[in-house]
Amino acid sequence: MTVSSEIRPFRIDVPEADLRDLRDRLARTRWGAALPGAAWERGVPGDYLRELAEYWRTTYDWRAQEAELNRYPQFTTEIDGQNIHFIHVRSAEPDALPLLLNHGWPGSIVEFLDMIGPLTDPRAHGGDPADAFHVVIPSMPGFGFSGPTGEPGWNTDRVARAFAELMSRLGYDRYGTQGGDMGAFVAPELGRIDAEHVVGVHVNAATFGFIPFGDVSDEDKAGLDDRELARLDRLANWHQDGSAYFQIQATRPQTLAYGLTDSPVGQLAWIVEKFKEWTFPSADLPETAIDRDRMLTDVMLYWLTDTIGSAANMYYENLHGGGSWNTEPPTTPTGVACFAEDVAIRRYAEQANKIVHWSDFDEGGHFAAMERPELLTGDVRAFFRSLR
């Protein structure tokens, strides 16, 4: 059987019936009983979620957000038996460097919308045209319009191989890559499997490969500075009080998927909890850091494409698939932007990566591309400046 390598133009056009169904489901939400005065430590509070769901039903304008997404050239192509959707914006600058941006969970292509202009056209955004990029932003297989996945096995290693093929198919012989969260698994793996073409890897919201593996001895702790100790405490708190979503998605994603696929409020709560806990400052509501409509558009890309389950499955695949834990010594230059809610620690990152650039920020959080796009853009420019 011949596999097509055709790249097809794509435009988002959600049927009106799907939007009516969403509004109807929101109107008929069975809310259940919540403990009086229950705060965020037990999960998303009912009064906040009710107000957000009502805003989603009556005020949020998907068609406006759809039009915003459709401003950017989008395409699909089949790779390794899976449909891959991506945004591709070429810079007008002749020496622009191709850059592949990798989103995470519970993120999507929406994460990078505020970075596309400054990256592709720095001249129009107060930057140096020598820092221009051609930008490629794929929806990860199993996420958004690249999903659902049709078979098991789509861990982040396989995603990296598919994205390497995508860049080859686009004719890019030299390129950089950037990613956060799950994208910070894919980007370093690209630097390993496609080292002859990847000039540099930049990450934020990085965990595996950038944090200690196992317990840290008292002797090692004595050598950490205050910032590093705070990150170690943040990581310990995540293991103790913030990793339940990870355990469920890595062990029983299908059971979870039934409820979240049927209930938009359930799906909203599952995702918005992470926007609240992982944005900076985490004590505030997520709308303090991220535009409410942009956050709901991210949720919509899971809801409208029926991908909350296939996206969760990537955690299972990473844990059970025998891949995604590549410890092969890296050769690709790697840069790290560590924001206020991140946990990466340089001395541990240097054990598994070729670190040539490290930036610490006292603001911004896990969703840096949405929270502080100007800081992340500036750090990406600075890192790749010497690698072009």
Side-chain angles (χ1 to χ4, degrees):
M1 183 178 67
T2 302
V3 177
S4 172
S5 60
E6 179 188 5
I7 295 175
R8 302 170 295 274
F10 179 83
R11 185 174 177 84
I12 304 170
D13 186 14
V14 172
E16 189 62 33
D18 291 357
L19 303 180
R20 287 197 300 268
D21 175 71
L22 171 60
R23 290 190 292 266
D24 181 60
R25 288 171 180 266
L26 289 169
R28 294 185 296 107
T29 299
R30 185 184 182 198
W31 286 98
L35 287 175
W40 282 91
E41 61 265 19
R42 293 180 183 268
V44 184
D47 55 352
Y48 171 78
L49 192 62
R50 282 175 182 264
E51 190 275 325
L52 183 59
E54 183 64 9
Y55 177 88
W56 192 14
R57 185 180 75 86
T58 62
T59 305
Y60 171 81
D61 185 353
W62 163 254
R63 293 302 183 197
Q65 300 298 313
E66 185 180 68
E68 171 68 14
L69 287 165
N70 282 332
R71 287 179 51 217
Y72 303 104
Q74 297 172 66
F75 305 87
T76 61
T77 191
E78 183 181 330
I79 300 175
D80 194 10
Q82 180 65 33
N83 180 65
I84 304 293
H85 162 261
F86 60 99
I87 291 173
H88 184 199
V89 183
R90 287 187 57 85
S91 174
E93 301 296 339
D95 296 323
L97 176 70
L99 179 66
L100 176 72
L101 299 175
N102 304 275
H103 67 75
W105 184 93
S108 66
I109 58 171
V110 170
E111 288 187 51
F112 297 110
L113 293 184
D114 290 335
M115 294 178 64
I116 294 174
L119 288 173
T120 58
D121 190 7
R123 189 188 302 269
H125 293 82
D128 184 344
D131 288 329
F133 297 91
H134 304 306
V135 169
V136 180
I137 312 174
S139 298
M140 206 174 288
F143 291 68
F145 295 103
S146 289
T149 40
E151 62 180 3
W154 277 99
N155 58 18
T156 47
D157 287 9
R158 188 173 175 184
V159 171
R161 290 193 295 272
F163 286 176
E165 169 60 22
L166 174 62
M167 295 304 276
S168 174
R169 198 169 288 185
L170 292 173
Y172 291 140
D173 187 59
R174 295 180 73 254
Y175 66 96
T177 186
Q178 198 283 331
D181 185 80
M182 199 79 77
F185 281 61
V186 175
E189 186 60 21
L190 267 167
R192 291 185 173 93
I193 67 169
D194 203 21
E196 61 183 303
H197 300 116
V198 176
V199 301
V201 172
H202 185 279
V203 297
N204 67 290
T207 53
F208 176 76
F210 298 85
I211 56 175
F213 190 80
D215 294 333
V216 178
S217 68
D218 290 340
E219 181 181 359
D220 285 348
K221 286 182 181 178
L224 300 179
D225 61 29
D226 289 345
R227 188 196 297 270
E228 292 169 329
L229 288 170
R231 288 175 185 165
L232 203 61
D233 287 345
R234 195 176 302 122
L235 181 61
N237 183 68
W238 178 84
H239 281 293
Q240 177 68 29
D241 196 51
S243 63
Y245 79 95
F246 178 97
Q247 296 296 331
I248 293 173
Q249 295 189 160
T251 58
R252 299 295 186 272
Q254 189 58 59
T255 303
L256 173 71
Y258 294 122
L260 300 191
T261 299
D262 186 59
S263 168
V265 164
Q267 190 168 131
L268 177 65
W270 192 252
I271 292 176
V272 79
E273 179 187 277
K274 300 312 167 197
F275 275 102
K276 191 271 179 188
E277 293 184 341
W278 296 348
T279 50
F280 178 78
S282 57
D284 291 347
L285 294 178
E287 292 93 330
T288 304
I290 296 174
D291 177 76
R292 173 178 276 202
D293 285 354
R294 184 63 58 84
M295 182 170 64
L296 288 172
T297 299
D298 182 76
V299 175
M300 287 289 275
L301 290 189
Y302 287 87
W303 177 261
L304 294 171
T305 59
D306 188 17
T307 52
I308 195 71
S310 57
N313 260 295
M314 189 171 286
Y315 285 80
Y316 184 94
E317 299 293 352
N318 282 349
L319 199 64
H320 295 86
S324 301
W325 310 107
N326 197 331
T327 56
E328 179 184 339
T331 59
T332 307
T334 300
V336 179
C338 203
F339 290 84
E341 295 292 334
D342 290 343
V343 294
I345 297 175
R346 181 164 189 163
R347 66 191 66 200
Y348 300 108
E350 288 176 338
Q351 296 171 12
N353 304 275
K354 184 181 178 181
I355 303 296
V356 300
H357 172 95
W358 189 282
S359 298
D360 291 311
F361 297 98
D362 293 324
E363 53 190 312
H366 185 88
F367 303 95
M370 301 173 80
E371 297 178 59
R372 295 304 307 270
E374 74 287 355
L375 291 182
L376 184 56
T377 297
D379 204 67
V380 168
R381 288 172 176 168
F383 168 67
F384 283 105
R385 201 164 285 146
S386 66
L387 300 174
R388 291 176 174 268

